[in-house]
Amino acid sequence: MNVERIKGLKFHKKQDVAIVGAGITTFKRRLNETGKELSYYAAKQALDEAGLSIKDVDMVVMGSAPDAFDGVHMKGEYLLDGSGGSDKPYMRVFVGGGTGVFAPIAGYWHVASGLADVCLVVCEEKMSSCYPHPQSAFKYIWDPILERPLKPNLIWIFALEMRRYMYVNNIKHEDIALVSVKNKANALDHPSAQLAARITVEDVLNSEPMALPVRRLDVSPPSDGASAIMMVASHIARQLTDEPVWVNGVGWALDTTWWTNRDLYFPRYVAEAARMAYKMAHITNPRKEVDVAEPYDPFDYKELHHMEGLGLAKKGEAHILTREGITARDGDLPICPSGGLLGVGNPIAATMGVKVAEIYWQLAYRAGKRQVAKEVTTGIAQAWGDLMQIGTVMVLSNKR
Amino acid sequence: MKMDMDMDVNIKKNYPSYVRGREIKAEDIEEGRVSYNLHKPNIIYSFTAGQAISKFLNGLKEGKLLATECYSCNRTLFPPRIFCEVCFRPIDKWCEVKDSGVVETFSISYIDPDAKPLEKPIIVAVISIDGASPKMGIMHILGEVEPEDVYIGMRVRAVWKPESEREGSITDIMYWKPAEGD
Amino acid sequence: MTFNEKIVNVRELKHVEGKIELYWIYTSGEAGDKFFKALKDEGKFLASKCSYCGKTYFPPRIYCEYDFSETEFIEISGEGRVRAFAVATLDSYEKPLENPEIYAIIDLDDTDGCIVHLLGEVEIKEVFIGMRVKPVLKPKEDREGRITDILYFKPS
Ligand SMILES: [Zn+2]
């Protein structure tokens, strides 16, 4: 059959989408609350900030990573009551670590399409339930025939990617460790933080080896936690606040699952996702047009890797921006002002609270002590996951 | 300076204004200070290898590495598959590739899959295979080499189990060893 | 073409066995912790009442599912009425049970909630929907703060 080829993506939206509230629980290695209770805390806080009640919510999106962490199959359904989805259209989305930005992207579809005027997005993770260690759950993401017999730990793929990134761009571990130093210090100002600390590059380089080049302080911790955001149509936003934060672009892309068949030095998946989001948001020069960013930083090198994928730095040059202080909270391009996953914690999907929610608070000038020094108009949040293959990107702005 | 003043006016309340969640320690569970339920299910799967990987595993038993070729993009795909995921068409041909290759990247792992320390660290690498298309590689273990001697670009060769012990598994190759000058 | 080289002898098709070596420890949460501690230490049943709509949750929760208000804990008797029941003759591995077990949904008095549990000290043919039942607990020293601290419900 002959069909007319559609060149590029088309972005016809029914209505503009704004974020008007966000919520986050504390992030800790182990919390007593059930996943439902954590979801409730975060959702309630987002509703309160927006000045809405659960009865105002049309639809609910839940984001949560593999069921193996919480140890509850049909986790989406299990979390329904705590996330306010009872008696409503409700869906769960999941793309591994990319979920923290993918769940709000799904919320965006709901509102932009006109299906909903008010959509609550809740993300939850309770990794501490999983024994002998949360990392044990990752044994089952590997190919059961070609990879699992080698007894891999999840850290391996990141170590392999980090080594390749360092080799191709000739980057030293010292340069990468600066990211961990910066983010853990930024997290001192985040009330949810699990691993906020003042550390030095030497601390990182001398920390316990896990899978070299990855050492203990290069890595974010497993965490329990939840987060939520309120996404509404423009006519609702107008009634709630004078300063909504608009979602101007969304993008996501996946690279092949045959991860040993591609060069790992550059995150093509992030570059493709960013291309889609920038096109939608009419951004042509991200380095100039983006004021603040929260790229996904489960490992220190990942922040740099993702900055390059997002076009915030040239290939192999992100570490120079870090070294020169440009990515500090008072720098020209603040990166991970929240403290990121390295400092605040990594409850996989719930990292929405330090990515999308943080950019929302920054652009609404509500980040308090974490507020970046420069004037901000446009910010981006990005997450990444699966077998180093998905990039998820959201462009936010306090101007439409 | 003007900007700084504006900023002060602009910065509103510190959000989130509060965070909830009661932190507990492993001991709180071990010593029963919080109520909990423990469940150890017995779950076993049988993973079928399918057409391409079955043939590949049978090849390992014979000491051969099998790949497939796509005539459309001219790639030699390794590990083999029955369709080309780029051209999205069936594969044209089987072929044999060499049991040697190049280290694309590597790591020295001090931990097992449960994040427990290993007695002796192991070296893991992505190895691109000679005879396959560029960057077509697999993940495997390196041996007969010290961690400090491994480098990206190092040539390596497979060390096979004796034929009688091979069972058609990826571990029929015990590890890959340096092959400089081979 | 691959399709000409398809493996037809099923013996040549491989499979790999894999065991999921995970286990889980589930905390009972803020509401669950209160509930199980009261059951274990005092043999008491707790429910929680929504401060806004008055709906009473059993097992208790810290929030109301429908209006997202907070709740207050209240003590209830633990007695109730059978809403539905089923007789299990096989165990979870589908092996026949020597003594069939009666499972029931029990609506708890003074709550809008219910519990799924075993019935005991009653013959199958005597059970009926609407039957009043009360809980039988393990002796205090054997209780662990789990749902199995309730042995079963019996006719009252
Ligand atoms: Zn209520």
Side-chain angles (χ1 to χ4, degrees), chain A residues 104-343:
Chain A
I105 288 175
Y108 173 87
W109 309 330
H110 284 59
V111 180
S113 65
L115 267 178
D117 282 341
V118 180
C119 181
L120 170 63
V121 182
V122 187
C123 286
E124 177 274 354
E125 219 67 65
K126 189 157 159 116
M127 300 174 75
S128 68
S129 304
C130 184
Y131 281 77
H133 190 278
Q135 268 175 24
S136 306
F138 288 120
K139 280 194 266 190
Y140 308 102
I141 68 165
W142 301 92
D143 185 292
I145 293 161
L146 298 178
E147 292 167 343
R148 213 178 293 166
L150 303 171
K151 300 192 170 59
N153 181 291
L154 179 75
I155 308 278
W156 285 13
I157 45 176
F158 309 125
L160 293 166
E161 190 180 64
M162 177 172 172
R163 172 95 61 187
R164 187 79 199 157
Y165 173 66
M166 290 165 72
Y167 171 80
V168 171
N169 295 311
N170 195 19
I171 297 170
K172 294 194 174 61
H173 202 160
E174 292 89 300
D175 291 324
I176 290 173
L178 278 171
V179 172
S180 202
V181 173
K182 165 178 73 76
N183 291 6
K184 284 179 194 294
N186 281 353
L188 289 164
D189 295 322
H190 203 300
S192 299
Q194 177 177 351
L195 286 185
R198 250 175 237 300
I199 58 165
T200 64
V201 168
E202 286 68 38
D203 292 335
V204 179
L205 299 185
N206 295 327
S207 61
E208 174 198 349
M210 295 180 82
L212 294 178
V214 174
R215 290 175 180 271
R216 176 70 66 188
L217 291 177
D218 290 309
V219 190
S220 59
S223 318
D224 291 353
S227 58
I229 57 168
M230 288 304 314
M231 303 183 89
V232 302
S234 50
H235 65 279
I236 306 285
R238 218 178 298 128
Q239 299 170 51
L240 295 170
T241 173
D242 295 333
E243 296 135 334
V245 171
W246 302 97
V247 181
N248 282 357
V250 299
W252 67 102
L254 284 97
D255 204 340
T256 176
T257 303
W258 297 94
W259 65 276
T260 58
N261 287 177
R262 46 183 151 97
D263 199 327
L264 303 172
Y265 86 98
F266 182 72
R268 277 187 49 228
Y269 36 90
V270 173
E272 286 300 310
R275 201 168 60 93
M276 174 176 165
Y278 291 157
K279 190 176 174 196
M280 198 189 286
H282 306 292
I283 287 177
T284 50
N285 184 346
R287 176 65 187 89
K288 284 221 166 69
E289 293 170 64
V290 173
D291 301 308
V292 55
E294 278 281 350
Y296 211 58
D297 63 323
F299 293 78
D300 43 12
Y301 82 95
K302 264 301 183 186
E303 173 174 308
L304 305 174
H305 207 226
H306 291 154
M307 281 170 66
E308 293 171 17
L310 290 166
L312 298 177
K314 291 201 182 104
K315 280 186 188 178
E317 291 184 5
H319 69 285
I320 300 170
L321 302 187
T322 312
R323 196 197 300 144
E324 291 176 352
I326 291 167
T327 63
R329 205 181 268 156
D330 58 358
D332 184 48
L333 178 61
I335 302 286
C336 294
S338 67
L341 281 56
L342 287 163

Side-chain angles (χ1 to χ4, degrees), chain A residues 55, chain C residues 50-55 57 64-70:
Chain A
K55 299 216 156 59
Chain C
C50 172
S51 51
Y52 177 76
C53 70
K55 199 171 157 69
Y57 287 94
C64 171
E65 177 174 350
Y66 296 98
D67 52 49
F68 257 37
S69 304
E70 312 250 320

Side-chain angles (χ1 to χ4, degrees), chain A residues 32-34 36-37 40 44 54 68 70-71 81-82 84 86-87 126 129-131 136 139-140, chain C residues 16 19-31 61-63 65-70:
Chain A
N32 185 52
E33 283 82 353
T34 61
K36 292 165 184 260
E37 290 172 342
Y40 166 73
K44 178 76 172 162
I54 194 67
D70 291 44
D81 58 319
S86 299
D87 296 342
K126 189 157 159 116
S129 304
C130 184
Y131 281 77
S136 306
K139 280 194 266 190
Y140 308 102
Chain C
V16 172
K19 185 166 163 38
I20 302 289
E21 297 152 321
L22 298 176
Y23 64 99
W24 291 275
I25 290 177
Y26 305 94
T27 59
S28 356
E30 291 293 279
R61 308 183 202 176
I62 57 168
Y63 55 86
E65 177 174 350
Y66 296 98
D67 52 49
F68 257 37
S69 304
E70 312 250 320

